[in-house]
Amino acid sequence: IHLIGVVSVSIILGLITVMEGVKFSPDSGSYSSYGDLLIKNNFNYFNFLAQTDFVTPIVLCSAWITIVGITKMIFGDSWNAAILVLNYITVIYTLVLILKAIRAVTLKPACFIFALIAIIFCYEFHMWISYVLSDVMFASLCFSILFISLNFFRDPFDAQKWIISCLVLAIIATFFR
C-alpha cells in the first residue's frame, strides 16, 4: 500500500505539474539575472557579491542562485523546465519523508491513506512546483530537518550523527532563502 500510494500521488502531481507548466514570477526573473551574473563571474562569489545590490543580503540566496546558474549552464534556454523537474523530484522526496514520518509515528493504514489524500488536495504542493522559485526546495530542507529530528528521538544513541545532519541542513537552508 505504501509504494502504490507514493506512485499514485507522484503520477497525479506529475500530471498537474505538466498541465500547469513553468511559471515565472518577478522573483524568478531576479534569480535568473543573478544566475547569469554568477555565470559571468565564473562562480566567483566574491566578485558576484560585489556586483549585486539586493534588499536582503544576496548571500542568503546564494545556494539557490547557484542552482539557477548551474541549470542555466547545463540546460541553456530550457533551464526553467529543468527547475520544474527539480521541483517535482523535490516534492516527491518530501512526500516520501512525510509518509515515512507518519509511518514512524503510527502504523495505522488510515493515517497513511488520509495523508496521501491530503497531499493530493494540498494546493501548495500543486502551486509551488510550477514556479521557478526556491520555495519547494527550502520546504524540503525543512521537512528533512524535521525527519532527522524525529529519528533522533527514536534513536538517541546516534545523537552526534543526527545533530550534525540537522546543523548541516540548517546551514544550507540559511543560504537558500
Side-chain angles (χ1 to χ4, degrees):
I1 190 168
H2 297 296
L3 182 60
I4 293 170
V6 170
V7 170
S8 300
V9 172
S10 298
I11 291 169
I12 291 168
L13 289 175
L15 290 172
I16 292 169
T17 302
V18 169
M19 290 186 322
E20 291 285 322
V22 176
K23 293 182 182 176
F24 240 63
S25 73
D27 286 344
S28 303
S30 297
Y31 292 131
S32 176
S33 298
Y34 289 130
D36 290 336
L37 185 60
L38 188 59
I39 292 168
K40 179 181 164 191
N41 285 292
N42 295 316
F43 290 84
N44 180 325
Y45 291 91
F46 295 110
N47 290 344
F48 168 74
L49 293 172
Q51 295 178 18
T52 58
D53 55 344
F54 195 63
V55 178
T56 308
I58 197 74
V59 72
L60 296 179
C61 303
S62 61
W64 172 247
I65 293 169
T66 301
I67 290 173
V68 170
I70 290 169
T71 55
K72 283 182 151 220
M73 283 183 58
I74 294 171
F75 297 100
D77 291 338
S78 299
W79 73 275
N80 48 8
I83 295 290
L84 183 91
V85 171
L86 281 174
N87 281 348
Y88 174 72
I89 292 168
T90 304
V91 164
I92 300 308
Y93 166 77
T94 306
L95 165 72
V96 170
L97 281 184
I98 291 169
L99 296 175
K100 279 184 153 194
I102 289 169
R103 189 169 45 184
V105 173
T106 179
L107 295 175
K108 296 180 180 178
C111 292
F112 185 83
I113 292 168
F114 177 76
L116 285 172
I117 293 168
I119 289 168
I120 290 171
F121 291 104
C122 179
Y123 179 70
E124 283 74 18
F125 271 104
H126 306 165
M127 181 180 76
W128 291 112
I129 293 174
S130 296
Y131 278 96
V132 181
L133 295 170
S134 65
D135 297 73
V136 171
M137 292 181 198
F138 180 77
S140 180
L141 286 167
C142 294
F143 276 111
S144 297
I145 292 169
L146 181 67
F147 185 74
I148 291 170
S149 299
L150 178 66
N151 282 327
F152 169 72
F153 288 112
R154 288 181 53 221
D155 184 16
F157 298 108
D158 283 335
Q160 185 177 7
K161 177 177 81 174
W162 300 126
I163 292 170
I164 290 171
S165 299
C166 281
L167 287 174
V168 167
L169 288 175
I171 289 168
I172 293 169
T174 300
F175 295 101
F176 226 84
R177 292 299 277 182

